[in-house]
Amino acid sequence: MVELVLISQLFPAPFPNETVYSWICRFHFNAAHSDFKNVTLKMLGVRDARPTNEFPPYIRKLSELSGIELNTLIFNFTNIHYFQPFMEQSLYGSIWANIISGDTSSLQSRLGTVANRITPGQVLRYCPLCSEEDHYQFGTSYWHRNHQLIGVTSCDKHGIHLQSVKRQSKRPQLPPLVGSIRQSSVFEQRLSELVVNEIVDIDATWQKSDTYRAYFRKLNALGMLSQSGRIKHQQLKAYLVENLEAMAALEYPFPLIYDAVLKGKFSECLFYRSSCTHQPIKHFVFILSLFDSWNEFKQTITAEEHEKANEQSKDENSDSVIDWNKGLRLVSEGASLRSAAKIIDTTVSTLKIKAQQNNLSVDTRPSKITELVERAIWRKLVLGKKTQDIAKEFNVSTGAVEKVLTKHLWLPELRRRIRYYDKLKHHEAQISRYVNIHPNATRNEIRTNVRPSYYWLYKHEQKLLYRLLPERVQAIYWPRK
């Protein structure tokens, strides 16, 4: 008992956002133990397991020695919350119980890490600027939990690329105070911030079924669901390829994920195998492509709950719920029917009828277009201009432009070929530019540094790609002695 009290006194207070491994390393230094493996880890009951494990089996013992409540320790010092919104509640509770009991040997398999072939790896990540600030504020650097999450490659505070050092199992290790400073890309920062915002969001207690419902709501808003509610996978694949192109230039595991996006397997696997537990980084990548931020995604989930709560009251007396005076005032002040209808939560057609009943002039775009305007629209369509841009230029609806498009059966195919040619020239220019700047680059170096263009040409124009690339380096096979 006396020994336990002495050990508790030597245990340092945990720092904000600190990992368990970092905490026990600082305990080792505070206690001035002679051997990390045979003294400090043995005291925690660590034998064969690595102290740097994502879910260490010695949490209960650590709670006893430090005096911190067990559930608080699990939630604040492990990454279990990282997985919560993407698994069923029963599985989440079972994994929590395994962490308490110390039976964590099979957790990576149950969480889908093994099946998805996306593992934490053999490195620990740190931000040099964070290490410097921590050393100035606390007297030592420490490992940040946010920096160890799969998918986080940029510091959410400083916007620089995280540095890596090899994990150590037999000796204590804290982040160095030096490291190269490299600014992260905008895409890299957005993705890292998305993951970090989830891990610190204590309100994100929903489960996988809620997450998928939010996906379908957003896909429906983007017009990627059919009338029967099925996903338009070809349209979704093209959308993902365009919006996730920057991901191909990042480090592991993002090139693997983007390769699946290019092949069309990413979205199909995510939805056709929704019963499986997918690695959270796949969900985060998909969320980033659909939503601007974690808060927008969260609001999409909570919006459904509010709609269900208000649905009954709206059905009972819809006129008493809708503020028609406010809607009519907005229309009279020049607001569009669509924006006014959205504010008072009604349909555009209903608000239009109400406005006409109150003798308000409604400024609508022409539903019919003259023959001269139709000819001008046709010319723009032949040049491959986007229908939304044409509609804005001529002040007509996008549907009116698409009606002109459907009158000419050959026009959609022509526009598809124009878009294809534009992409072809873009990717060809990217490869050629890199080869001109780096004339001695190998094929692997070109693939690594111009990955999106390389993969697009590899899939669609292999012959052109091989004409642009340098000759393959011939392997030399030495004869056996």
Side-chain angles (χ1 to χ4, degrees), residues 396-412:
V396 297
S397 65
T398 305
V401 177
E402 291 175 348
K403 191 173 292 184
V404 177
L405 178 62
T406 56
K407 287 183 178 180
H408 309 277
L409 298 179
W410 52 270
L411 194 50

Side-chain angles (χ1 to χ4, degrees), residues 161-439:
H161 192 73
L162 297 178
Q163 303 298 303
S164 302
V165 296
K166 187 175 176 57
R167 292 173 182 260
Q168 298 290 339
S169 298
K170 297 182 179 180
R171 62 184 180 89
Q173 181 185 27
L174 292 175
L177 299 179
V178 295
S180 61
I181 307 297
R182 178 164 64 88
Q183 189 70 28
S184 303
S185 66
V186 175
F187 182 90
E188 191 176 11
Q189 292 180 36
R190 287 185 60 213
L191 182 56
S192 297
E193 288 175 4
L194 179 72
V195 178
V196 171
N197 287 337
E198 185 272 336
I199 194 71
V200 300
D201 188 357
I202 60 175
D203 297 325
T205 56
W206 57 83
Q207 55 184 344
K208 183 169 64 174
S209 56
D210 302 316
T211 296
Y212 275 94
R213 278 197 292 270
Y215 291 163
F216 275 94
R217 286 171 62 87
K218 187 64 174 182
L219 290 173
N220 186 44
L222 293 173
M224 294 188 192
L225 294 184
S226 64
Q227 292 183 351
S228 60
R230 297 179 66 86
I231 298 174
K232 300 175 182 178
H233 277 287
Q234 288 298 324
Q235 186 176 343
L236 177 57
K237 174 193 170 185
Y239 177 86
L240 293 175
V241 168
E242 181 179 355
N243 285 272
L244 298 177
E245 184 177 0
M247 184 173 64
L250 303 182
E251 60 186 40
Y252 171 89
F254 297 110
L256 296 177
I257 298 176
Y258 189 68
D259 186 47
V261 171
L262 288 173
K263 295 178 180 177
K265 295 181 180 179
F266 176 76
S267 58
E268 293 177 1
C269 182
L270 199 62
F271 286 97
Y272 289 154
R273 298 182 180 178
S274 57
S275 60
C276 301
T277 302
H278 297 283
Q279 223 290 337
I281 189 57
K282 294 185 177 181
H283 287 280
F284 284 120
V285 166
F286 191 71
I287 291 170
L288 185 67
S289 68
L290 296 181
F291 302 90
D292 290 333
S293 64
W294 176 256
N295 285 334
E296 184 189 349
F297 171 65
K298 181 179 176 181
Q299 288 170 4
T300 304
I301 290 182
T302 55
E304 184 175 2
E305 299 175 359
H306 293 306
E307 286 179 4
K308 289 180 179 178
N310 296 330
E311 185 176 357
Q312 184 176 0
S313 61
K314 285 184 178 181
D315 289 342
E316 291 176 355
N317 194 353
S318 59
D319 279 346
S320 63
V321 174
I322 299 174
D323 190 350
W324 292 112
N325 291 330
K326 182 178 181 180
L328 295 173
R329 186 181 72 253
L330 290 170
V331 173
S332 65
E333 292 174 353
S336 66
L337 285 173
R338 187 172 299 278
S339 62
K342 185 176 182 180
I343 291 174
I344 65 173
D345 197 16
T346 187
T347 62
V348 175
S349 58
T350 305
L351 179 59
K352 181 180 179 182
I353 293 173
K354 285 283 186 181
Q356 292 172 342
Q357 290 174 348
N358 286 270
N359 298 320
L360 290 177
S361 59
V362 180
D363 183 19
T364 58
R365 290 175 294 184
S367 57
K368 294 182 180 179
I369 56 180
T370 64
E371 189 174 333
L372 185 63
V373 173
E374 180 177 344
R375 182 69 179 176
I377 291 175
W378 174 82
R379 291 195 188 97
K380 298 286 185 180
L381 289 171
V382 170
L383 294 175
K385 302 293 184 181
K386 292 183 178 180
T387 55
Q388 295 90 340
D389 295 340
I390 298 174
K392 187 175 181 181
E393 180 180 348
F394 289 94
N395 193 29
V396 297
S397 65
T398 305
V401 177
E402 291 175 348
K403 191 173 292 184
V404 177
L405 178 62
T406 56
K407 287 183 178 180
H408 309 277
L409 298 179
W410 52 270
L411 194 50
E413 176 62 20
L414 173 65
R415 289 169 56 79
R416 187 190 69 80
R417 292 187 180 185
I418 291 174
R419 290 194 296 269
Y420 181 88
Y421 180 77
D422 290 341
K423 287 184 178 181
L424 173 64
K425 302 307 292 183
H426 167 74
H427 293 302
E428 181 183 2
Q430 291 290 97
I431 298 286
S432 299
R433 186 181 300 113
Y434 185 84
V435 171
N436 290 335
I437 298 174
H438 306 88

Side-chain angles (χ1 to χ4, degrees), residues 468-480:
L468 297 172
L469 295 176
E471 293 294 328
R472 181 189 295 273
V473 177
Q474 296 295 328
I476 300 176
Y477 297 96
W478 297 98
R480 292 184 179 179

